[in-house]
């Protein structure tokens, strides 16, 4: 067993063993137990109520059994009515009362837990470095917060209570019989033990077989998806019949494997139900023998037989529930992975000197051990200068920008802003110093004004308008019926690419940070948009330290410093004229860029 | 399906045999001396019942799964067939996750519903009726007592549902708001990290979480607490069966065996009933589960009467073409232009002008709403789609490569292409990276092979089109931008593709198409002007304005202050 580290976040204890992909049933329960910490009391109480409700039901059944026993001994039924009515009344009331209390505590507890988990996760996620978010699809993170936590809620609200109920009655019956007729009670347990053992053995073997089958099925599924995705190409090149035949084969394969998988599953489940329910004829026989041998009184026989059903049939139906509970285990694992990710250690320095210089000193970085992107990179961008980074495609150029914004942490070396190591800066100080205009503009849903205000939330409306004007965005904003109050839709859907870019520029202008990181746009924009954006960018770059991943000739030409990144290192550096004269990588790169920009058909 | 239901019902009914055996055993020892032979008989009956019931159930399950998988199989084939018939443009921008949900996941849900819900609800219903009838046949008074709880419990459930209905609707919208807010929050993460102030958004998102949880709690309180009570009552039959039975016993109108019968069977009465209710609930979810599948299946097929055959060559003419999107917005409002064979026509204009829409109508990714497009005089809708596809090649932003070797993908363009032909096409398409791949032409692509960059895929797609050698090419110049480092290569490849063919190109950078035979300037769904570059320039107007803006953008510089020379005209 690998060592498991347990962290405490916001009162919830998380199991930090992210390497374990599958947990055993018991480990699931333990993980769920830890997660539930702050609401544990209420949830446990709810389950106890559920057990008590079952107990009351058990009492009613026991009364029936005892009444039968007395009747068989010849007692007059009318004398039983009074006490029975009393007990039944109590039992019914007890069941209703505790049923209500159980549902209240388990459901409400589960929902409150869900709410707490979500808020805690939200808070925690905010503190995580960008590297965490960039290394996953944002959709996955959303799913954890919505679907996965919902599954955890249903675990506590429905699944566990039903398990308690399904186990509860047989358990009480067993305990009761253990006191009354220990030998028979032990005999009762035999079929259950055999059934469970056979199921566990079978499911272990199946798990291994199942994996193989699932892989094949995964392949068939991938083929089906590919065919559907490639429909455009298939029809454009007149291959419809051929590809549809291939698709039909993939669909068939998928079906056949599914059938096999189900066959494999139903056999052990049937066997479990069979052995469990075979307990009934088994116990009829055992008790019969005991009776004939006069080892037990008739009343005990009646007792045991009447309670058999209450014991065996809930158990037979248990398996489906357990499988479902395991599926929820997956959700718990995913939540754990999120909550045990480490937030970025920040420093104490709360402000930097106004001098916005950026220095890289022997920086090395890789997204993974085999994926080294920067090797021993050093350069200095003095305050109020323009540094252009160019080079062949690969993550190196944008990575430089990402490292300055501390989206990722350098593996070796140091990055300094205004002389201060960025790791010593507080989160506020760093974000105050740096503005980033990304290629994929990230906007928040809300109004245009909300988005520009992101640059400086306390800005006045005049300041917002001023920034928009300088970004050449004011005009198109005012052309919209609601102007600055226009809703931009999810992710800015209602705006065109050019409009989104200009809002991002306005945002950065409003912020007025000393350092500007720019990933130059390569998307196709119409000429009018392109012009406005180019002018906006020029406005942005005045009097600031600009570090730009450049694609435009004019930008590169104007740079105070050009860094040519190749093979993860700075191959050449200098200004345009010098580098051109050298006739190396830069010169080649320059002529190709020139060719591309001047291209005509 | 019939066989399966019969088996499931048989199983449910056979399940009663062990209960019967227990009852007989108890009655036996209550009223007489225990006889091993009799009890052995009863044990045998119980065993027989258990064996047959489980056997029947497992056969029923296997059959139902078979039936269910066949149904899913048929559905998927239907889907695949239909995807080949609907206009291509409708499903162009699907992510592979959406496709996966459509083809793999949603049909699976159908399986789960059919395999379990149908046999279990049928058998549950029939066995419930059978048991009820049996109880009444034995003693109507006790039967009444046994079943009494059920309508009461159902009544309570119905009230609970009615009360909860309004709230459920509100819960759905709160849930949607909540899901949207979360997705939004995470997709804006990079901006929030840089601009530091995520406070307001975070607070807003946290509020939707709180609102949603509050809704859930409210509904739980109004609806589920009732449900909890229902749950108790359903199982508590014994609480009224016992006293009622005793009273009748005391009154002498009931004998002990019958009393025991009701005590045992009556207490378990609710189980099949509960199961049936659950399963019927599942069945009602069928419609919702197949939302996307249904949407696809309901989309009308693209009309392809194919009566007239399409000429080999000819002019491509847009005659007063109008196009309205599915949501009603008018994208093209009377577009007219002619493309002479062998000429190069460029579509330019501000974004939203309709250039891409117009281009997509040529290969019939969508069909015109009004007006017509003709090729060599024939309306392209009257000719077989296959004919059109062989005359026209198109290259838009999404390039798709099958998993398979590079050669396989090239052969999509020309099935009997020789190695020489493929190598020539690759050379023209500036795809010199192919020979450098581990296995050259035989290198596998995709998840299990090599992953190509966007620019590399584009060039393969161009090579594929070169092999196809169509008469007409429709292309989007923007495809070159995806890979700024290889832009020049892609442009060269596009040039090779366009040589000696009729070309219709969507252009974003005006200077690239200055030498076109005809430039069509579009604006707001209409043709603003058309002609050659010099003609348009002389006329002034939108083209001149766009050209000026384009030049200004190219020459504008990030650091105005540092520039020495002024821009050239």
């Amino acid at each position: 067993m690998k060592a498991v580290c347990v962290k405490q976040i916001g009162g919830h204890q998380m199991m930090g063993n992210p390497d374990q992909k599958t947990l055993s049933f018991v480990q699931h329960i333990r993980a769920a137990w830890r997660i539930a910490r702050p609401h544990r009391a209420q949830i446990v109480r709810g389950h106890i109520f559920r057990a008590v409700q079952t107990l009351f039901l058990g009492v009613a059944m026991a009364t029936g059994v005892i009444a039968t026993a007395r009747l068989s001994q010849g007692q007059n039924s009318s004398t039983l009515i009074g006490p029975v009515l009393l007990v039944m009344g109590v039992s019914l009331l007890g069941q209703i009362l505790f049923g209500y209390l159980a549902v209240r505590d388990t459901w409400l507890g589960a929902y409150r837990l869900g709410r707490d988990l979500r808020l805690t996760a939200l808070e925690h996620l905010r503190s995580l470095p960008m590297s965490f978010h960039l290394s996953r699809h944002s959709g996955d993170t959303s799913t954890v917060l919505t679907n996965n936590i919902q599954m955890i809620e249903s675990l506590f609200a429905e699944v566990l209570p039903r398990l308690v109920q399904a186990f509860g009655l047989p358990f009480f019956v067993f305990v009761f019989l253990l006191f009354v007729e220990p030998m028979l009670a032990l005999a009762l347990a035999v079929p259950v033990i055999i059934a469970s053992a056979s199921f566990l053995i079978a499911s272990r073997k199946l798990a291994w077989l199942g994996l193989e089958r699932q892989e094949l099925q995964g392949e068939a599924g991938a083929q089906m998806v590919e065919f559907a995705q490639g429909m455009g190409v298939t029809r454009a090149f007149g291959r419809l019949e051929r590809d549809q035949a291939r698709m039909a084969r993939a669909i068939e394969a998928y079906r056949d494997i599914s059938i096999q998988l189900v066959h494999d599953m139903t056999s052990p489940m049937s066997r479990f139900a069979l052995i469990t329910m075979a307990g009934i004829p088994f116990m009829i026989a055992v008790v019969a023998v005991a009776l004939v041998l006069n080892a037990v009184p008739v009343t005990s026989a009646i007792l045991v037989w009447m309670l058999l059903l209450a014991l065996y049939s809930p158990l037979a139906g248990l398996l489906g529930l357990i499988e479902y509970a395991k599926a929820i285990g997956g959700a718990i694992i995913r939540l754990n992975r999120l909550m045990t990710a480490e937030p970025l250690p920040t420093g104490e320095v709360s402000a930097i000197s106004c001098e916005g210089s950026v220095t890289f000193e022997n920086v090395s970085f890789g997204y993974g051990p085999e994926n080294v992107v920067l090797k021993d990179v050093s350069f200095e961008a003095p305050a109020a200068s323009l540094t252009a980074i160019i080079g062949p495609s690969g993550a190196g150029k944008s990575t430089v920008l990402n490292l300055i914004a501390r989206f990722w942490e350098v593996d070796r070396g140091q990055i300094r802003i205004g002389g201060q190591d960025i790791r010593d800066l507080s989160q506020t100080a760093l974000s105050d110093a740096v503005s980033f205009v990304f290629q994929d503009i990230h906007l928040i849903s809300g109004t245009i004004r909300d988005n520009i205000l992101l640059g400086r939330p306390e800005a006045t409306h005049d300041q917002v308008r001023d920034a928009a004007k300088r970004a050449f965005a004011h005009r198109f904003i005012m052309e919209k019926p609601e102007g600055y109050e226009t809703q931009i839709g999810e992710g800015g859907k209602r705006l065109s690419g050019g409009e989104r870019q200009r809002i991002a520029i306005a945002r950065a202008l409003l912020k007025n940070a000393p350092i500007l990181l720019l990933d130059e746009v390569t998307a196709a924009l119409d000429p009018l948009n392109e012009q406005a954006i180019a002018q906006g960018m020029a406005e942005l770059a005045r009097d600031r330290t600009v570090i730009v991943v450049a694609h435009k000739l004019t930008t590169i030409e104007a740079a105070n410093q050009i860094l040519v990144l190749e093979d993860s290192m700075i191959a050449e550096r200098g200004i345009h004229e010098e580098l051109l004269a050298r006739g190396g990588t830069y010169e080649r790169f320059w002529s190709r860029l020139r060719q591309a920009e001047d291209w005509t058909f | 399906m019939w066989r399966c239901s019969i088996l499931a019902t048989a199983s449910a009914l056979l399940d009663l045999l062990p209960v019967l055996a227990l009852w007989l055993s108890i009655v036996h020892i209550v009223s007489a001396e225990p006889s091993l032979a009799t009890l052995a008989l009863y044990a045998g009956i119980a065993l027989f019942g258990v064996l047959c019931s489980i056997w029947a159930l497992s056969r029923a399950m296997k059959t139902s799964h078979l039936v269910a998988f066949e149904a899913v199989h048929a559905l998927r084939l239907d889907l695949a067939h239909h995807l080949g018939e609907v206009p291509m443009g409708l499903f162009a921008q699907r992510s592979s996750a959406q496709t996966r949900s459509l083809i793999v996941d949603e049909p699976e849900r159908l399986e789960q519903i059919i395999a379990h819900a149908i046999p279990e609800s049928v058998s549950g219903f029939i066995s419930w009726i059978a048991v009820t009838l049996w109880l009444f046949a034995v003693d109507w008074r006790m039967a009444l007592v046994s079943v009494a709880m059920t309508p009461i419990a159902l009544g309570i459930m119905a009230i609970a549902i009615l009360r909860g209905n309004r709230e459920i609707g509100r819960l759905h919208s709160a849930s949607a708001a909540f899901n949207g807010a979360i997705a939004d929050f995470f997709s804006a993460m990079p901006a929030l990290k840089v601009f530091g102030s995520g406070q307001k958004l975070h607070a807003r998102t946290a509020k939707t979480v709180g609102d949603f949880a509050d809704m859930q709690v409210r509904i739980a309180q109004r609806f589920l607490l009732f449900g909890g009570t229902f749950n108790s009552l359903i199982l508590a039959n014994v609480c009224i069966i016992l006293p009622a039975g005793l009273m009748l016993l005391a009154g002498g109108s009931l004998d002990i065996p019958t009393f025991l019968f009701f005590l045992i069977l009556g207490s378990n009465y609710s189980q099949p009933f509960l199961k049936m209710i659950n399963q019927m609930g599942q069945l009602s979810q069928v419609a919702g589960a197949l939302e996307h599948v249904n949407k696809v299946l309901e989309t009308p097929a693209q009309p392809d009467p194919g009566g007239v055959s399409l000429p080999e060559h000819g002019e491509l003419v847009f005659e007063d073409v109008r196009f309205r999107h599915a949501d009603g917005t008018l994208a093209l409002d009377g577009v007219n232009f002619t493309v002479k064979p062998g000429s190069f026509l460029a579509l330019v204009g501000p974004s939203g002008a309709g250039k891409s829409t117009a281009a997509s109508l040529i290969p019939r990714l969508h069909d015109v709403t009004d007006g017509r497009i003709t090729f060599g005089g024939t309306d392209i809708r009257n000719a077989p789609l296959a004919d059109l596809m062989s005359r026209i090649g198109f290259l838009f932003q999404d390039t798709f490569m099958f998993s398979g070797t590079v050669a396989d993908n090239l052969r999509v363009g020309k099935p009997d292409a020789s190695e020489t032909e493929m190598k020539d096409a690759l050379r023209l398409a500036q795809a010199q990276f192919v020979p450098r791949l581990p296995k050259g032409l035989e290198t596998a692509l995709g998840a299990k092979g090599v992953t190509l960059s966007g620019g590399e895929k584009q060039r393969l797609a161009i090579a594929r089109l070169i092999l196809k050698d169509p008469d007409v090419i429709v292309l989007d110049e923007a495809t070159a931008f995806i890979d700024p480092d290889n832009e020049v290569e892609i442009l060269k490849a596009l040039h090779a593709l366009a040589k000696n063919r009729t070309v219709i190109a969507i252009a974003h950078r005006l200077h690239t198409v200055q030498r076109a035979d005809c430039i069509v300037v579009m604006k707001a769904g209409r043709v603003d002007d058309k002609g050659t570059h010099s003609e348009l320039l002389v006329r002034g107007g939108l083209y001149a304005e766009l050209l000026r803006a384009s030049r200004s953008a190219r020459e504008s510089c990030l650091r105005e202050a540092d520039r020495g020379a002024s821009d050239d005209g």
Side-chain angles (χ1 to χ4, degrees), chain B residues 1-9 60-61 63-69 71 111 113-120 122:
Chain B
M1 210 64 218
W2 283 122
R3 201 172 56 154
C4 164
S5 299
I6 292 176
L7 281 170
T9 311
M61 280 294 114
T63 314
S64 80
H65 278 292
L66 255 165
V67 169
F69 284 128
E111 190 274 328
I113 293 173
I114 293 183
H116 289 281
I118 295 188
E120 285 181 29
V122 168

Side-chain angles (χ1 to χ4, degrees), chain B residues 23 33 60 139 192 213 222 297 318 338 357 368 372 386 397 399 437 469-470 481 483-484:
Chain B
W23 174 58
E33 268 308 304
D139 187 305
L192 295 179
R222 296 194 70 177
L297 288 176
F318 267 57
T338 307
T357 313
V368 302
R372 60 185 201 149
Q397 304 248 19
T399 32
L437 290 173
D469 201 23
F481 305 164
D483 197 348

Side-chain angles (χ1 to χ4, degrees), chain A residues 4-71:
Chain A
V4 166
C5 69
V6 174
K7 290 183 58 166
Q8 199 152 355
I9 300 178
H12 303 278
Q13 272 186 305
M14 300 290 156
M15 249 171 50
N17 192 355
D19 295 325
Q20 263 192 308
K21 283 242 163 102
T22 49
L23 305 177
S24 73
F25 181 61
V26 170
Q27 283 175 309
H28 281 134
I29 298 289
R30 280 171 63 202
W33 180 248
R34 284 205 176 87
I35 282 191
R37 202 146 177 269
H39 296 273
R40 214 181 258 174
Q42 187 174 29
I43 290 178
V44 167
R45 206 175 56 198
H47 285 77
I48 291 180
F49 285 146
R50 179 65 87 198
V52 170
Q53 174 197 3
T54 314
L55 185 61
F56 272 94
L57 181 62
V59 161
M61 298 184 115
T63 314
V65 167
I66 295 175
T68 310
R70 297 278 176 84
L71 283 174

